[in-house]
Amino acid sequence: MLFDVVTIFPEFFASILEHGLLKRARAGGQVDIRLHDLRDFTDDRHRTVDDRPFGGGPGMVFKPEPLFRAVERVKAETPGETFPVILLSPQGRLLTQAVTEELARDPHLVLLCGRYEGIDERVAEHLATDEVSIGDYVLSGGELAAAVLIEAVTRLLPGVLGNEESREQDSFAGTASPAGGGGKGILDCPHYTRPADFRGWKVPEVLLSGNHEEIYQWRRRRALEKTWRKRPDLLASVPLNETDRVLLEQVKGAVSPPVAHSRGDS
Ligand code: 6GU
């Protein structure tokens, strides 16, 4: 998978490229991340990437020419290939796990990081093929959002995670987990490791029992319980099988009702 990232802060990405998952995926050849300094695509002495907004008002706006030239350079380097050009912006569609799965099917993504107060609208209209946001809050630039997208997509690529099973148990993962726990768009179950008794707080007995069927049921029940309590909105959009529905009814009867986090949709 190839990511071409266009940014005024290429050095910003150094740390994430040299740690953990992305370091491994690059070393293993599963991803290649090419950074393009937007200022390399300017044509004036000061390498100007922004200008004042037509119509007046505060702040500066990214000029269209450098962004168009940067994408045209990528096109010239990969002749005959088509690829999505994704503008990172708070106006984009929300990056969910389903969107990361969709993006992971493409072998080549171009990411455009915006900055300052805005980007000339002709970039969104005539250059970008997709616009993505990582949440309903304001960042001063698209770099953090691009880093989030790259990490979330890369961990879906075959051979990147050592244990393929652990990906399927993740919160929000699209598939049911063979070990119980999360998957199918719900939150993951709680996890414990040694010591079995930490300052008097004991690990649930069932996890020490060695009974795999009981462990599976416990994990699935706790995953459903956690989701119902913390993110009841997620349960509305996941298909639950008969066993899950029974477990969920047990949970609703046994524990206190959902916590009232305001997520804007509840
Ligand atoms: Cl992609 N960019 C900016 N500037 N702010 C954001 C964002 C992106 N996603 C959420 N907030």
Side-chain angles (χ1 to χ4, degrees), residues 65-78:
E65 300 97 319
L67 285 161
F68 273 78
R69 284 197 204 109
V71 173
E72 281 153 10
R73 168 78 57 84
V74 173
K75 278 199 184 116
E77 284 169 355
T78 48

Side-chain angles (χ1 to χ4, degrees), residues 87-91 114 116 132-142 145-146:
L87 177 62
L88 282 312
S89 113
Q91 283 113 49
Y116 304 131
V132 169
S133 162
I134 62 163
D136 292 336
Y137 38 80
V138 178
L139 305 169
S140 46

Side-chain angles (χ1 to χ4, degrees), residues 32-132:
D32 187 7
I33 298 161
R34 301 196 297 203
L35 300 168
H36 306 272
D37 188 338
L38 186 62
R39 292 188 196 281
D40 292 345
F41 301 93
T42 55
D43 55 7
D44 65 311
R45 211 158 51 85
H46 298 106
R47 305 187 5 119
T48 310
V49 293
D50 58 356
D51 205 341
R52 289 166 310 167
F54 277 123
M60 299 290 274
V61 175
F62 261 7
K63 296 155 61 64
E65 300 97 319
L67 285 161
F68 273 78
R69 284 197 204 109
V71 173
E72 281 153 10
R73 168 78 57 84
V74 173
K75 278 199 184 116
E77 284 169 355
T78 48
E81 210 196 291
T82 57
F83 42 78
V85 177
I86 303 172
L87 177 62
L88 282 312
S89 113
Q91 283 113 49
R93 60 183 177 138
L94 192 63
L95 185 70
T96 60
Q97 193 63 25
V99 172
T100 66
E101 284 164 12
E102 177 196 322
L103 298 178
R105 284 185 224 119
D106 238 298
H108 185 189
L109 300 176
V110 175
L111 307 180
L112 306 180
C113 305
R115 269 268 144 180
Y116 304 131
E117 285 73 21
I119 302 175
D120 189 287
E121 188 66 15
R122 288 164 290 191
V123 170
E125 278 185 9
H126 304 295
L127 182 64
T129 60
D130 196 358
E131 204 169 344
V132 169

Side-chain angles (χ1 to χ4, degrees), residues 186-190 218-232 235 244 247-248 250-252 254-259:
I186 70 170
L187 301 181
D188 201 359
C189 64
W218 180 89
R219 285 183 168 156
R220 194 68 191 163
R221 187 181 300 112
R222 290 302 309 271
L224 288 162
E225 177 190 326
K226 206 196 260 191
T227 309
W228 181 62
R229 282 180 50 74
K230 298 186 179 202
R231 292 293 307 276
L235 289 173
D244 285 345
L247 288 173
L248 186 58
Q250 288 175 6
V251 160
K252 288 183 179 178
V255 302
S256 49
V259 288

